[in-house]
Amino acid sequence: MLSAPLADEWLRHGTADLAPRLTSTGDARAFVIDGPDGTLAACALGLVSPVLPAPSYPRGLSARVQLVATHPHHRRRGYARAVVSALLDRLVDEDVTLFELHTSPEAAPLYREFGFSSSAALMRMTRRSTSAPPSTATGSRSSPVPPEQHAQSLPPSVAFVCVYVTDEDDRPLGLHSVYSPSHPWHMIGGALDLGETPWAAAVRECREEAGLTIAGPPRLLASVYGPPRNRRPYSTVQFVFDGGRLGQDQIARIVLAPDEHDEARFLPLERWQELMPASDFARLRSVSEARRTGVAAYLDTWGTT
């Protein structure tokens, strides 16, 4: 969930704060799924807070879905959907009618299924003091900012991988998205899991999205930066790898993940221009040129057009 693991001091502080809030009189609600070994496989945590009553929330109760997390070893089994569904049902039973959350682009389709929608009016700001949580350290006049506190003060960003695959005639592969009308055709790719390297993510995404196995060594074709936007208040960094040229037997074995893509096409490069936003095609064209020349591409305006 975080860009860096929490230090022991912050874990103790969070545990001490959350434990009494999970009691029957507290404001926290959590649902979990245990893994086979007894560790946590998935969880969803919500916090209830009072608001002024209004016609849409007559009891004056709102809830923030604070976090939803699934252990990497237990993903793609429907666990996130299950714990979120249980959490929302519990909150509705308590007459909560106003809900909010912050999500990643990858998780947004799940929350839309539950009825969440984006709001152009939603704004957010974090203002921190220089004070830290209670510390057991004594005898020092000052201490450096803890690494996790510094990490949380940095601008948020998300790392992705893409894999450029063509047929033997150098026609790029595109996958049609079932959840992203603004970016309808994708290269194979997705966000990195916590602790995952870009190349490991590329290998995983090829397997999960298309049933393909790619072999190294990694060949980086492009680095792509996407600046923050109104509907995406964080920057993105993409690593685009060369997935090679596929023969007809390999193409015949492509199997799509139906919850993400419903069609695969190999088209000449110029045909893709009419099927995708300008920034997506500029990325595709630059990646194609990088493979041809052997010189990695750099783009820093992806997603702005």
Side-chain angles (χ1 to χ4, degrees):
M1 295 298 296
L2 302 172
S3 58
L6 287 174
D8 289 344
E9 180 183 0
W10 280 94
L11 287 174
R12 290 192 299 269
H13 185 63
T15 301
D17 183 83
L18 182 59
R21 301 172 69 175
L22 283 170
T23 63
S24 59
T25 58
D27 64 338
R29 310 287 183 269
F31 285 83
V32 304
I33 294 177
D34 292 329
D37 59 354
T39 59
L40 190 66
C43 68
L45 172 68
L47 301 177
V48 180
S49 60
V51 295
L52 290 175
S56 297
Y57 22 97
R59 288 289 303 276
L61 292 176
S62 71
R64 174 187 174 88
V65 180
Q66 183 74 17
L67 66 87
V68 178
T70 303
H71 191 283
H73 294 167
H74 300 288
R75 288 178 178 165
R76 299 187 181 275
R77 302 181 185 181
Y79 287 175
R81 184 185 305 276
V83 291
V84 171
S85 179
L87 175 64
L88 296 180
D89 287 347
R90 170 62 181 270
L91 293 171
V92 169
D93 288 343
E94 296 182 24
D95 293 324
V96 176
T97 53
L98 176 63
F99 300 87
E100 69 169 20
L101 56 78
H102 292 274
T103 183
S104 65
E106 293 72 34
L110 170 64
Y111 297 122
R112 291 193 189 100
E113 291 181 20
F114 284 111
F116 287 91
S117 61
S118 300
S119 171
L122 182 62
M123 302 180 71
R124 188 185 187 196
M125 179 178 68
T126 300
R127 300 184 67 174
R128 294 184 177 86
S129 67
T130 57
S131 60
S135 172
T136 56
T138 59
S140 63
R141 292 183 300 172
S142 63
S143 60
V145 176
E148 67 277 4
Q149 184 175 339
H150 174 65
Q152 292 176 8
S153 70
L154 298 175
S157 62
V158 179
F160 292 90
V161 295
C162 293
V163 182
Y164 179 72
V165 174
T166 68
D167 62 9
E168 293 177 323
D169 295 322
D170 283 333
R171 297 183 302 177
L173 168 66
L175 304 182
H176 186 259
S177 171
V178 300
Y179 59 81
S180 179
S182 59
H183 297 276
W185 290 93
H186 297 169
M187 287 184 276
I188 296 171
L192 273 67
D193 288 337
L194 183 63
E196 191 175 36
T197 66
W199 176 245
V203 172
R204 174 180 56 76
E205 290 290 346
C206 283
R207 181 180 65 252
E208 294 176 351
E209 292 192 350
L212 296 174
T213 300
I214 58 173
R219 184 187 177 199
L220 187 67
L221 294 179
S223 297
V224 183
Y225 173 79
R229 302 187 313 225
N230 289 338
R231 297 185 62 185
R232 188 194 66 200
Y234 51 84
S235 60
T236 61
V237 178
Q238 302 172 27
F239 302 87
V240 185
F241 292 99
D242 192 346
R245 296 175 174 86
L246 302 185
Q248 288 302 316
D249 58 333
Q250 293 171 296
I251 293 174
R253 293 197 296 270
I254 290 177
V255 178
L256 301 181
D259 58 335
E260 297 190 45
H261 303 101
D262 58 8
E263 184 181 354
R265 292 186 190 179
F266 289 89
L267 296 176
L269 180 63
E270 61 274 10
R271 288 282 305 279
W272 285 115
Q273 186 169 10
E274 61 192 57
L275 297 176
M276 56 179 56
S279 63
D280 287 10
F281 180 71
R283 176 182 60 178
L284 186 64
R285 181 177 56 199
S286 296
V287 169
S288 176
E289 182 70 5
R291 178 198 270 183
R292 186 185 68 82
T293 63
V295 179
Y298 168 79
L299 298 90
D300 57 12
T301 58
W302 181 79
T304 58
T305 57

